[in-house]
Amino acid sequence: MTDIFIDGGRTLLGQDIAETSLQIGGGVIADIGSDAPHGALGLDASDLLVLPGIVDLHGDAFERQLMPRPGVDFPVDVALIDSDRQAIANGITTVFHGTTWSWEPGLRGAKNARKLLNAIETLRPQLASDTRFHLRQETFNLDAEDEIVGWLQAGRINLLAFNDHMDIAGISKPAKRARMVERTGLSSDAFDQLVDRVLSRTDEVPASIVRLAKAANAAGVPTLSHDDATPAMRDDFRQLGVNIAEFPINEETAKAAAAAGDFIVFGAPNVVRGGSHTGWTKASDMIAKGLCSILASDYYYPAQLLAAFRLLHDGILSLPRAWALISSAPAKAAGLTDRGEIIEGRRADLLLVDDSIAMRPRIVAVIAQGKLVHLTDATRLQPARAMHRKAIAAA
């Protein structure tokens, strides 16, 4: 593995930004503020920000590569490789693919969940972003419970979320229902019959959630509850050890989560667009009130990078605090203590970003586990030269 020397960037160090150099070796940040080592690959970071790589806890944009149009499928390996390129180009160096396993057939059915898990495990060594499996279990998907427990025990799941789209955003809304029917490939009548069969087992759902939460806790897998609607719902999940609240749908629930010290996830597209596409909670308001600790890409890979700089531009957060929402905080929530901050000995996941145009940051280079995996400006490459730089606080 070639050593890399990053020279002269405005580097995010904790809550400060300082002009300094970084030496990378063996896949980690070897030194901060040192001279260039002999033979290292040099990267000129003049006038650029040097930031920790983005950690994405919840992204399902890969589904568009799997099925770009209803009924049009592409091979899983092709979809994942293309998704990896998109993630890296947008600064995401750790990606949790949010794979929904529902009671529905089709895109979110059992066959695809199994194929995705197998493909991620097979392709992982070839992918530039550290690619992990976030299983979004639809709680009415009772027949999957035993297999999921087996996956947890075998260490195949990295995050487990509890979803219930049966009532909140699914069957009760005609437009959403129409999309679900189209996604499954079933006729309208067949879909209605399936829903009736699934709903007939409603009484079995709570016990299944308890068993799966216990299995995840025993395996050391962090767990999330999705679309919590009330403080009581959030408290029920917390009692099961589910300490990440993913997209709480109102401020009351977010306040209850924050008061209990839970991680709170909102979608970065919500920030970029100025509101939720579902009409629910406005993420930037929650952030301003201290009711959001993590931003995820959700359905759009560029959104995390853009959201951090919009929060800065709008005066809601400083860049260090905004960046924590997409780097150090999600890393901590996922139990990844080796990344998310620029500290000696940490994994070398780093971005060089041109911030010269407000709210339109441009990724110039991406380093993932010490490897240069993306570069848009070859003139930044240079022979590393011996140059001692002192950290100078930048405004």
Side-chain angles (χ1 to χ4, degrees), residues 212-224:
L212 284 170
K214 287 182 177 178
N217 292 338
V221 175
T223 48
L224 313 86

Side-chain angles (χ1 to χ4, degrees), residues 128-184:
S129 184
D130 184 6
T131 303
R132 294 165 178 258
F133 188 65
H134 170 174
L135 181 62
R136 305 177 67 211
Q137 157 69 346
E138 287 291 337
T139 57
F140 279 79
N141 185 26
L142 296 166
D143 291 336
E145 181 185 321
D146 289 344
E147 189 168 355
I148 292 171
V149 169
W151 288 358
L152 287 165
Q153 292 173 342
R156 304 181 73 189
I157 297 174
N158 304 109
L159 290 177
L160 176 65
F162 295 99
N163 291 12
D164 178 8
H165 288 109
M166 181 62 77
D167 293 318
I168 294 175
I171 310 306
S172 62
K173 294 186 177 180
K176 179 71 172 181
R177 178 191 177 280
R179 289 194 294 272
M180 291 175 73
V181 172
E182 185 177 50
R183 190 170 64 208
T184 64

Side-chain angles (χ1 to χ4, degrees), residues 12-15 29 51-55 93-94 320 323-332 336-343 346-350:
L12 178 59
L13 302 172
Q15 290 299 305
I29 300 166
L51 303 167
I54 296 171
V55 179
T93 52
T94 302
W323 203 259
L325 297 175
I326 61 173
S327 191
S328 60
K332 183 178 179 181
L336 301 175
T337 59
D338 63 341
R339 67 198 71 186
E341 296 179 274
I342 298 177
I343 297 173
R346 295 286 178 93
R347 178 182 165 108
D349 291 344
L350 299 163

Side-chain angles (χ1 to χ4, degrees), residues 38-61:
H38 179 72
L41 174 69
L43 276 175
D44 178 10
S46 301
D47 303 318
L48 301 179
L49 285 165
V50 181
L51 303 167
I54 296 171
V55 179
D56 185 16
L57 289 191
H58 172 119
D60 57 25

